[in-house]
């Protein structure tokens, strides 16, 4: 039995955390001292709890948001997120491996999730972005976004396929879970989303508004996994031309002169061509898809994601807007809650808000640099930024902005990427799926399957 370093939450901090900007000051001597492994255990454990104790009770799935004050202006505490749930599933598998829950407990949770997903609203086998956790009915994400969301469903299926691979050779109950996931996978009609045979995928389809959202998936952003899964489908796959002409814009996705701070980018980041997009672009598609050794005609994705992360970090260290707290121990811009409710922070769109998921989820690309941020947040900011479900979604010393709020799409990448950094669990499972290897081969990828 391995030793587990989990500090009871109420004992995490022996005194009140500093309420002023702690940049460049020594860690509080009263804060519990943890090694890197103990600290990762602690952060991973509490972030996992978002998807365990924090799950919506009827569906077992991840709530879109958790506000610790219980205030939900849109009365949406019961709304669950399909994509955010998928992002946390590998975190649940990691919790089994670490002895925090049993295989039997996890199987019970996966059964509950599958019972819900099998009966919930689907459109051509594809779920919406949001569902009512009590009823399984679609909750519109926006006025015309009231049907299928191909991208969020891809994030969900990425996690489900990892669960399938984990359980497929298990006992009867576990094999049944794997078979039910396989059935849901086979029922997803990816080809429908070519909108009548176009060489590009579309994000949304509505039973009430059809294709009115008109959002073609063109790279580069966070949705590469959608094309990988669409090409890998055993029942409704897309041709390689859809990928090369649609996602890759017939080669125009390449941008060999982009980048900054000495870190080149190979791809045109949509709307952020010079310094890269928000860091979730380096996370969401790569929770199961192994980025290192992943190459196609357009990029080396391990290098692209590493350089995007290093540019993001370098921007925060340069700190052209002179925001308090920024530096080697506090960096990371991505989409999160913000001083103007929600924002896709990135170099060039920097409001002084740091999103912990940015550096934490980047630990697979920048392990030493990310650990400095994790330790700074834990030792110097304490309960201002760390709660029962891990690091809160956003913080800003400059604006004295420390909301005690969570979003599933930021907690999921943290718990999964920490596990991937430590053991490669999600990558091993997803990349060993035979359909995924066939799909990558179809699209002309080189790839490595972690052992």
């Amino acid at each position: 039995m391995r030793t587990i370093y989990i500090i009871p939450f109420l004992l995490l901090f022996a005194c009140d955390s500093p309420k002023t900007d702690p940049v460049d000051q020594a860690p509080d001597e009263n804060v519990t001292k943890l090694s890197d492994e103990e600290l990762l255990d602690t952060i991973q454990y509490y972030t996992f709890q978002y998807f365990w104790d924090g799950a919506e009770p009827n569906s077992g799935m991840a709530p879109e948001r958790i506000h610790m004050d219980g205030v939900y202006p849109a009365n949406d505490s019961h709304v669950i997120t399909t994509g955010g749930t998928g992002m946390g599933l590998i975190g649940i598998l990691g919790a089994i491996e670490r002895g925090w829950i049993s295989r039997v407990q996890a199987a019970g949770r996966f059964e509950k999730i599958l019972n819900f997903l099998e009966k919930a609203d689907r459109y051509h086998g594809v779920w919406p972005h949001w569902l009512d956790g009590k009823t399984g009915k679609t909750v519109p994400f926006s006025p015309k976004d009231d049907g299928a969301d191909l991208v969020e469903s891809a994030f969900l299926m990425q996690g489900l396929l990892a669960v399938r691979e984990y359980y497929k050779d298990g006992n009867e109950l576990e094999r049944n879970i794997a078979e039910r996931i396989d059935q849901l996978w086979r029922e997803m009609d990816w080809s429908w989303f070519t909108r009548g045979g176009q060489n590009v995928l579309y994000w949304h389809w509505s039973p009430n508004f059809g294709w009115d959202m008109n959002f073609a998936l063109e790279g580069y952003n966070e949705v590469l996994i959608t094309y990988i899964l669409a090409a890998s489908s055993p029942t409704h796959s897309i041709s390689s031309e859809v990928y090369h002409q649609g996602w890759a814009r017939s080669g125009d996705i390449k941008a060999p002169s982009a980048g900054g701070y000495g870190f080149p980018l190979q791809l045109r980041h949509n709307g952020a061509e010079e310094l890269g997009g928000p860091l979730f672009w380096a996370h969401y598609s790569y929770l199961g898809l192994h980025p290192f050794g992943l190459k196609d005609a357009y990029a080396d994705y391990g290098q692209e994601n590493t350089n995007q992360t290093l540019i993001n970090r370098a921007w925060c260290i340069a700190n052209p807007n002179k925001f308090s707290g920024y530096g080697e121990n506090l960096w990371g811009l991505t989409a999160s809650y913000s001083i103007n409710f929600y924002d896709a922070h990135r170099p060039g769109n920097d409001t002084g808000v740091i999103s912990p998921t940015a550096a934490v989820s980047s630990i697979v690309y920048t392990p030493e640099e990310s650990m400095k941020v994790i330790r700074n947040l834990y030792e110097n900011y304490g309960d201002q930024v760390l709660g029962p479900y891990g690091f809160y979604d956003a913080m800003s010393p400059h604006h004295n902005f420390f909301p005690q709020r969570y979003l599933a799409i930021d907690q999921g990448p943290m718990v999964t990427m920490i596990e991937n950094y430590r053991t490669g669990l999600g990558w091993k499972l997803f990349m060993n799926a035979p359909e995924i290897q066939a799909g990558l081969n179809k699209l002309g990828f080189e790839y490595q399957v972690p052992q």
Side-chain angles (χ1 to χ4, degrees):
M1 176 67 70
R2 63 178 291 158
T3 301
I4 302 173
Y5 300 101
I6 302 300
I7 308 302
F9 183 73
L10 292 177
L11 300 180
L12 277 172
F13 310 106
C15 64
D16 289 340
S17 301
K19 303 304 180 183
T20 58
D21 175 17
V23 67
D24 294 330
Q25 73 181 37
D28 192 314
E29 293 181 356
N30 293 311
V31 174
T32 305
K33 303 298 184 184
L34 302 179
S35 69
D36 283 357
E37 282 297 297
E38 292 168 344
L39 183 53
L40 286 177
D41 262 343
T42 300
I43 301 307
Q44 184 176 346
Y45 176 81
Y46 286 109
T47 310
F48 150 70
Q49 292 296 339
Y50 186 98
F51 301 92
W52 195 250
D53 285 346
E56 193 282 321
N58 179 63
S59 65
M61 294 180 66
E64 167 68 11
R65 65 191 85 245
I66 294 178
H67 295 175
M68 297 311 297
D69 60 6
V71 176
Y72 296 87
N75 296 316
D76 59 355
S77 63
H78 62 291
V79 171
I80 59 94
T81 167
T82 52
T85 295
M87 294 173 190
L89 294 179
I90 292 168
I92 296 177
L93 298 178
I96 302 172
E97 292 294 295
R98 295 187 178 279
W100 300 338
I101 55 174
S102 69
R103 289 178 73 98
V104 172
Q105 287 176 302
R109 174 60 57 85
F110 291 131
E111 282 193 307
K112 175 179 281 192
I113 290 172
L114 291 172
N115 289 341
F116 181 82
L117 287 174
E118 288 165 347
K119 298 174 184 177
D121 283 349
R122 282 185 286 166
Y123 311 89
H124 301 275
V126 173
W127 295 274
H129 189 146
W130 283 344
L131 287 163
D132 186 318
K134 299 176 181 178
T135 66
K137 298 300 181 183
T138 300
V139 176
F141 188 72
S142 65
K144 291 188 176 181
D145 188 357
D146 63 349
D149 187 312
L150 191 66
V151 172
E152 295 295 320
S153 294
F155 298 147
L156 174 58
M157 187 50 64
Q158 179 178 214
L160 284 172
L161 286 176
V163 175
R164 185 195 73 176
E165 292 299 297
Y166 189 83
Y167 278 139
K168 68 180 183 181
D169 296 322
N171 59 35
E172 182 177 357
L173 171 62
E174 293 172 346
R175 292 196 305 273
N176 179 256
I177 288 171
E179 290 166 3
R180 292 170 69 185
I181 292 172
D182 193 65
Q183 184 62 35
L184 292 172
W185 164 230
R186 290 173 173 273
E187 290 171 0
M188 298 179 75
D189 190 351
W190 304 86
S191 60
W192 168 263
F193 292 86
T194 61
R195 196 171 169 176
Q198 299 180 39
N199 281 334
V200 67
L201 289 171
Y202 283 82
W203 195 313
H204 313 91
W205 180 82
S206 162
N208 298 305
F209 303 101
W211 301 105
D212 281 6
M213 292 289 288
N214 196 34
F215 199 134
L217 300 183
E218 297 174 317
Y220 180 72
N221 52 25
E222 75 273 25
V223 306
L224 175 62
I225 191 63
T226 311
Y227 278 88
I228 302 299
L229 289 171
S232 302
S233 170
T235 51
H236 302 285
S237 68
I238 59 169
S239 69
S240 61
E241 287 77 16
V242 178
Y243 175 76
H244 293 295
Q245 295 180 30
W247 169 254
R249 303 174 184 260
S250 298
D252 285 346
I253 193 174
K254 296 181 73 172
S257 63
Y261 300 100
F263 304 108
L265 295 176
Q266 304 150 83
L267 303 175
R268 298 183 189 278
H269 288 222
N270 294 344
E273 286 80 2
E274 290 304 315
L275 296 176
L279 275 180
F280 73 87
W281 291 7
H283 304 151
Y284 288 3
S285 282
Y286 306 97
L287 302 178
L289 184 65
H290 185 227
F292 298 107
L294 185 71
K295 304 175 184 178
D296 67 358
Y298 313 107
D300 175 328
Y301 292 88
Q303 189 62 61
E304 184 75 3
N305 294 345
T306 299
N307 281 0
Q308 184 195 348
T309 305
L310 290 170
I311 290 169
N312 195 293
R313 175 178 179 268
W315 168 276
C316 293
I317 292 172
N319 194 12
N321 298 318
K322 309 301 180 186
F323 292 122
S324 301
Y326 277 34
E328 291 187 358
N329 297 330
L330 192 65
W331 55 270
L333 307 177
T334 193
S336 71
Y337 277 124
S338 189
I339 53 174
N340 51 4
F341 180 65
Y342 188 84
D343 209 341
H345 312 105
R346 58 176 174 80
N349 181 39
D350 182 3
T351 65
V353 173
I354 295 294
S355 312
T357 189
V360 177
S361 300
S362 294
I363 193 169
V364 297
Y365 307 117
T366 53
E368 293 182 5
E369 296 89 342
S370 291
M371 279 303 305
K372 288 181 180 179
V373 176
I374 293 171
R375 188 164 294 283
N376 182 30
L377 291 172
Y378 170 77
E379 292 183 348
N380 288 328
Y381 290 93
D383 57 7
Q384 282 187 294
V385 299
L386 182 59
Y389 304 122
F391 289 128
Y392 295 121
D393 194 59
M395 56 88 75
S396 174
H398 188 85
H399 299 290
N400 193 28
F401 176 71
F402 297 95
Q404 294 186 346
R405 295 184 170 188
Y406 295 99
L407 290 174
I409 55 174
D410 289 331
Q411 302 311 108
M414 283 194 279
V415 70
T416 292
M417 284 305 208
I418 291 175
E419 186 60 47
N420 279 338
Y421 167 66
R422 302 176 86 179
T423 68
L425 177 64
W427 293 334
K428 293 173 186 176
L429 293 168
F430 184 79
M431 295 298 290
N432 270 295
E435 309 98 308
I436 299 306
Q437 295 181 22
L440 289 168
N441 290 335
K442 177 196 289 191
L443 298 182
F445 276 88
E446 298 177 30
Y447 57 91
Q448 295 178 358
V449 180
Q451 300 302 316

